[in-house]
């Protein structure tokens, strides 16, 4: 892969071009992982999974952990927190087996200084630890989630992506605990970190997280603004997984437009499910978090 192609692949995964159409065949290793990140951001989960599994089982422990954390995130986005937990655990195990859980750099990272862009061992460690914390939230294990956030925070510099994700997960654990006011500071910290980052996608998700928190504290106007910003970016760049939750939250915040928001959310979610692999679709159908029936956030029965 040429330097130009590497830059384009990274910009699509974590930069300013998340709507790019990455290759789905003929890529492997780091290129395959970056392509899968981009595909997942667009809701093309089946295509992403096909690229991720070979990386997860590959020889490089850092790439394996990054890929496992990525597939775990896709499973979580479909409500499969238990399945995501298994994948994040695989990623952490690969790092531990390579002696990389304490912040050491792998030989691969030392050969390629460009890995310091947020795709090195420290970033992989933060990805799996924060992923495990997010899994724990979805499974109702809030004390475990707080412990994992603390471990990740104390385990070294996971890079700019970790700073954003740490804010998301810290906000989510407070929301799950029924403390929306305590969620505001980490949500705002995530938004500030995302603004300093090159990532259009992570900034959009930060707006969504902040919007949900602001709705929880009763700041309806600012909540609508943040979530509308997320929705606009997700439409522009084809980030379908951000569209349907944005519209469901807006349906609650704008009751006069609730029917329109829910109808559009149904179309978006249908698009995501049609591009998911069979495992992902089954997880969504069984999840209490994904409104596959009636678009009410309750058990899908």
């Amino acid at each position: 892969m040429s330097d130009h192609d590497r830059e384009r692949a990274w910009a699509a995964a974590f930069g300013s071009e998340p709507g790019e159409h990455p290759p789905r065949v003929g890529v492997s290793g780091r290129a395959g992982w970056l392509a899968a990140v981009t595909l997942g951001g667009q809701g093309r989960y089946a295509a992403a999974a096909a690229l991720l599994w070979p990386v997860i089982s590959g020889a490089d422990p850092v790439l394996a952990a990054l890929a496992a954390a990525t597939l775990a995130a896709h499973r979580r986005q479909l409500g499969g927190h238990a399945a995501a937990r298994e994948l994040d655990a695989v990623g952490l195990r690969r790092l531990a087996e390579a002696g990389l859980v304490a912040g050491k750099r792998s030989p691969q990272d030392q050969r390629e200084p460009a890995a310091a862009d947020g795709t090195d061992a420290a970033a992989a460690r933060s990805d799996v630890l924060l992923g495990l914390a997010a899994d724990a939230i979805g499974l109702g294990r809030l004390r475990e989630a707080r412990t994992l956030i603390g471990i990740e925070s104390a385990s070294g510099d996971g890079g700019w992506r970790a700073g954003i994700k740490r804010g998301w997960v810290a906000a989510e654990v407070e929301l799950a605990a029924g403390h929306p006011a305590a969620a505001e500071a980490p949500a705002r910290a995530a938004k500030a970190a995302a603004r300093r980052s090159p990532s259009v996608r992570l900034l959009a998700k930060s707006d969504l997280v902040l919007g949900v928190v602001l709705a929880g504290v009763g700041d309806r106007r600012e909540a609508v603004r943040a979530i509308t910003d997320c929705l606009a970016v997700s439409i522009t760049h084809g980030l379908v997984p951000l569209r349907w939750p944005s519209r469901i939250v807006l349906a609650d915040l704008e009751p006069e437009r609730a029917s329109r928001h829910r109808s559009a959310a149904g179309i978006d979610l249908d698009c995501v499910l049609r591009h998911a692999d069979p495992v992902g679709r089954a997880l969504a159908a069984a999840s209490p978090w994904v409104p596959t029936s009636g678009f009410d956030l309750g058990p899908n029965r």
Side-chain angles (χ1 to χ4, degrees):
M1 179 180 284
S2 69
D3 288 343
H4 175 69
D5 288 337
R6 287 174 186 262
E7 290 175 5
R8 285 191 63 186
W10 192 88
F14 296 117
S16 60
E17 301 295 336
E20 285 289 306
H21 297 287
R24 302 190 192 188
V25 295
V27 289
S28 60
R30 186 171 184 270
W33 170 64
L34 288 172
V37 170
T38 304
L39 289 164
Q42 298 166 2
R44 300 179 181 275
Y45 293 134
L51 293 176
L52 289 169
W53 282 118
V55 183
I56 292 170
S57 61
D60 188 307
V62 173
L63 284 175
L66 289 166
T70 299
L71 186 54
H74 298 169
R75 297 308 195 209
R76 266 195 312 278
Q77 289 159 14
L78 292 172
H81 293 81
R85 179 184 172 90
E86 293 179 5
L87 287 160
D88 283 318
V90 167
L92 185 59
R93 186 178 72 241
R94 291 297 305 272
L95 292 176
E97 289 171 347
L100 297 172
V101 293
K104 297 178 182 178
R105 288 170 64 83
S106 70
Q108 177 86 359
D109 294 333
Q110 293 167 8
R111 289 197 307 272
E112 298 183 11
D117 61 7
T119 60
D120 59 4
R125 186 181 61 252
S126 288
D127 272 1
V128 294
L129 288 172
L130 292 172
L132 284 165
D135 303 332
I137 294 170
L139 295 170
R141 304 180 182 196
L142 301 189
R143 180 179 297 181
E144 179 181 314
R146 293 184 191 279
T147 298
L148 286 161
I149 294 169
I151 292 171
E152 187 279 329
S153 298
S155 63
D157 182 11
W160 62 270
R161 289 193 298 110
I164 299 169
K165 292 182 177 183
R166 190 180 307 123
W168 295 347
V169 180
E172 288 164 3
V173 75
E174 297 299 344
L175 286 175
H179 305 142
E184 187 169 352
R188 290 194 181 279
K191 172 72 179 287
R195 275 181 171 163
R196 296 190 297 269
S197 84
S199 178
V200 167
R201 177 172 56 86
L202 299 191
L203 178 56
K205 182 170 177 180
S206 297
D207 272 321
L208 175 58
V209 172
L210 180 58
V212 172
V213 170
L214 291 173
V217 299
D219 192 344
R220 178 179 174 276
R221 191 167 98 176
E222 288 303 310
V224 169
R225 180 179 299 175
I227 295 172
T228 300
D229 286 348
C230 172
L231 182 58
V233 171
S234 66
I235 291 171
T236 297
H237 293 281
L239 306 176
V240 187
L242 292 176
R243 296 205 306 237
W244 68 263
S246 295
R247 285 173 159 144
I248 288 176
V249 178
L250 285 174
D252 288 336
L253 293 172
E254 298 181 322
E256 70 281 2
R257 302 177 63 192
S259 178
R260 185 184 307 175
H261 287 313
R262 288 178 182 272
S263 176
I267 294 170
D268 291 333
L269 184 54
D270 180 69
C271 180
V272 168
L273 294 176
R274 284 188 291 108
H275 288 91
D277 61 342
V279 172
R281 287 195 295 273
L283 291 171
S287 173
W289 303 109
V290 179
T292 52
S293 176
F295 293 95
D296 293 317
L297 291 178
N300 297 299
R301 299 289 184 265

